[in-house]
Amino acid sequence: MVQTDLRIRIIGAGMGGLACALSLAKAGFLDIQVYESASGLGFVGAGIQLAPNLARILDRLGAWGDIRKEASLIHEARIIEGTTDEPLGHVDMAHVEEMYQYPHCVGHRASLANSMYEACKGELGVKFVFGTKVDTLDTFLPVPSFMAIPRTGTEPYRVEVDVLLACDGVKSYTRHAMLESLGLHAQVEDTGQAAYRIMIPRKLMAGDKELLDLINGDQITRWVGAGRHIIAYPVSNKNIYNLSTVQPDNNFAAAPSETYTTKGSKDVMLNVFSDFCPRVQRMLDLVPEGEVCEWKLRVHAPLQTWVHGSVALVGDACHPTLPHLNQGAAQAIEDGAVLGVVLSKLPDSSPRSIYKALKIYEDVRKDRAETLINLAAQSGRDMHLAEGEAKAERDHLFAALKLNNGKGPSPDKWADADIQRMIYGHDCVKEADKVFERSFYSHE
């Protein structure tokens, strides 16, 4: 029987926080509160890839239908040499839905978040507490507690909970407090990389047939070059062409460590990709001046644990990743789905049982998330090779992939069929069910 009266509090209303709230509400919990420091959820952001492992969870949670209506179906992926615009590799993705029961789609990040948010608002057990910062987390067990500090200037107040789920991102305060309490440390790591997120309205591409072919297509295109790449695809019913780049970080080097975004210069952006082909140059030139924003890409060393007492870390708070596998949001949503399973199976509401359930969440999720982090990092290294023997070997593998109609190992891990099978074919809910039944009564 679900322990419906557990006081569950979630820090952060991003992808992981929304997934936790919705999964727990669907499991039957009736006292879920989500604390968000922003005054509301004005969703922004760029495109996002909606892989089958993510779609499978959202469908179970009743949040897939609206997203799918707006999403663009992907039938193929193309890897192209950035400077010459010559094809390196091609992967057919028309078979994905047949293999994994869900297609590979792309959509707008705001649509994904808003769909989960609206689904949460339809659940009686979920309440959002906006404009409130969480601070002074000084108790982890048996009853976690923290200070809630309203940004309106009203008096801070202490909150005691049965379960605390920290979805507070790569700069997670909770992670810092947890590790300090445990005498552990995990430094945020500078990757030396940054990213532009660009969205080009269809109307700006109307006069260029080559660019219209891109936005009208059902493919993801990745242009690769030394130390850089651009990945692009249509979103919002093909009314927007989404480009995400990765390039060396030259703008954040002198910035304070807490700085993750900066206003970018269009001229600087064009210079970063100045040796890329004319087609890319024309796309980048369409970006309006003043709408260039650059993100610093940071990760942190693997944590020894995600759980302390009745507190668990979720999403980027415990497994931030580089974007080269396009699985960041999906992995946070898998976290939420697994937490819904393990907490719904609690035999009682004792702190010991909660701890054991949270450790099973960690058992189910940690190795998988960290494996994908490593694969993403490796893929980035392979995509960004400069001229030399290693690049020649990479391009030889791409040529073989092309010759064999997209079958075989791909240096672009995202497009590798075996890695897709490992990512897309995984059902985290079934895995959590199985692991809980096998190990809860033996877990220490």
Side-chain angles (χ1 to χ4, degrees):
M1 178 181 295
V2 176
Q3 306 295 314
T4 58
D5 59 347
L6 277 182
R7 298 168 298 169
I8 301 174
R9 302 296 178 260
I10 298 167
I11 307 173
M15 298 297 183
L18 292 169
C20 285
L22 187 55
S23 179
L24 290 161
K26 293 293 186 183
F29 292 98
L30 298 175
D31 188 2
I32 305 161
Q33 292 185 18
V34 183
Y35 285 79
E36 170 57 50
S37 60
S39 59
L41 294 185
F43 295 116
V44 294
I48 190 168
Q49 296 198 36
L50 306 168
N53 57 313
L54 179 150
R56 186 177 296 114
I57 295 167
L58 295 179
D59 197 20
R60 283 192 177 115
L61 298 177
W64 174 240
D66 288 343
I67 298 169
R68 178 65 186 91
K69 289 175 187 175
E70 185 184 300
S72 298
L73 189 64
I74 295 300
H75 287 152
E76 62 177 329
R78 298 176 181 175
I79 302 97
I80 297 175
E81 172 61 51
T83 55
T84 65
D85 215 14
E86 290 296 318
L88 286 173
H90 171 269
V91 177
D92 180 12
M93 300 187 70
H95 66 286
V96 167
E97 185 168 11
E98 180 181 352
M99 287 189 66
Y100 304 112
Q101 296 76 57
Y102 293 91
H104 189 105
C105 298
V106 292
H108 198 294
R109 184 174 293 269
S111 298
L112 172 59
N114 190 63
S115 181
M116 288 196 290
Y117 177 53
E118 290 298 324
C120 284
K121 289 200 299 183
E123 297 291 334
L124 292 176
V126 180
K127 176 186 176 184
F128 288 88
V129 184
F130 291 114
T132 303
K133 178 184 177 183
V134 170
D135 200 356
T136 320
L137 172 59
D138 50 17
T139 306
F140 293 85
L141 71 168
V143 178
S145 68
F146 60 86
M147 290 299 296
I149 305 175
R151 295 192 180 275
T152 57
T154 55
E155 284 296 314
Y157 56 95
R158 181 157 291 281
V159 179
E160 291 189 347
V161 308
D162 297 306
V163 180
L164 182 62
L165 304 177
C167 311
D168 47 350
V170 68
K171 295 186 281 186
S172 171
Y173 161 76
T174 312
R175 180 184 67 242
H176 175 78
M178 175 187 290
L179 295 179
E180 186 175 60
S181 175
L182 291 169
L184 302 174
H185 183 68
Q187 182 66 42
V188 172
E189 297 179 348
D190 189 342
T191 66
Q193 300 175 67
Y196 293 116
R197 303 282 189 259
I198 301 163
M199 304 192 82
I200 303 176
R202 182 185 188 88
K203 64 183 180 182
L204 296 182
M205 306 175 80
D208 191 315
K209 184 181 182 304
E210 279 192 315
L211 300 188
L212 279 176
D213 287 344
L214 288 172
I215 198 171
N216 287 332
D218 296 321
Q219 77 262 354
I220 291 172
T221 305
R222 193 194 298 266
W223 289 269
V224 301
R228 297 152 297 158
H229 78 257
I230 299 171
I231 188 166
Y233 46 82
V235 299
S236 299
N237 291 318
K238 299 187 177 179
N239 286 309
I240 294 174
Y241 200 55
N242 178 81
L243 289 84
S244 299
T245 78
V246 174
Q247 64 275 344
D249 167 29
N250 295 317
N251 296 325
F252 290 91
S257 61
E258 66 269 15
T259 301
Y260 281 66
T261 63
T262 187
K263 194 74 171 178
S265 159
K266 182 176 178 178
D267 287 341
V268 170
M269 177 186 69
L270 289 170
N271 186 60
V272 168
F273 294 97
S274 61
D275 61 337
F276 271 40
C277 62
R279 183 164 56 156
V280 168
Q281 297 295 318
R282 296 200 306 276
M283 281 193 297
L284 296 180
D285 197 45
L286 293 175
V287 180
E289 189 67 59
E291 293 189 16
V292 176
C293 192
E294 191 171 13
W295 276 257
K296 185 173 185 62
L297 300 178
R298 285 188 171 121
V299 295
H300 59 63
L303 305 182
Q304 292 187 39
T305 184
W306 295 359
V307 175
H308 182 20
S310 298
V311 180
L313 303 174
V314 177
D316 282 353
C318 50
H319 53 79
T321 183
L322 291 169
H324 310 313
L325 281 183
N326 306 290
Q327 276 285 309
Q331 291 308 295
I333 289 169
E334 284 193 14
D335 289 350
V338 169
L339 284 161
V341 172
V342 298
L343 292 174
S344 71
K345 291 180 172 293
L346 283 169
D348 56 66
S349 59
S350 69
R352 177 168 177 76
S353 289
I354 291 169
Y355 172 76
K356 289 168 66 176
L358 294 179
K359 289 299 286 185
I360 291 173
Y361 150 71
E362 180 183 288
D363 289 348
V364 172
R365 292 289 304 128
K366 193 170 187 290
D367 284 350
R368 173 172 165 83
E370 290 174 357
T371 294
L372 298 192
I373 289 169
N374 291 334
L375 284 170
Q378 181 60 54
S379 192
R381 288 190 291 270
D382 290 344
M383 291 304 95
H384 295 173
L385 291 170
E387 292 297 331
E389 186 176 335
K391 180 178 180 295
E393 177 60 27
R394 182 202 72 184
D395 291 350
H396 176 74
L397 288 174
F398 272 132
L401 188 70
K402 189 177 177 183
L403 188 65
N404 292 316
N405 296 315
K407 297 178 180 177
S410 171
D412 186 346
K413 305 302 184 208
W414 170 83
D416 186 286
D418 288 338
I419 292 173
Q420 287 181 349
R421 190 174 301 112
M422 182 262 286
I423 297 174
Y424 300 167
H426 182 74
D427 189 326
C428 65
V429 169
K430 288 184 178 178
E431 179 70 10
D433 267 322
K434 181 173 66 177
V435 175
F436 191 97
E437 296 303 327
R438 182 180 68 229
S439 60
F440 180 82
Y441 291 100
S442 62
H443 209 296
E444 295 299 331

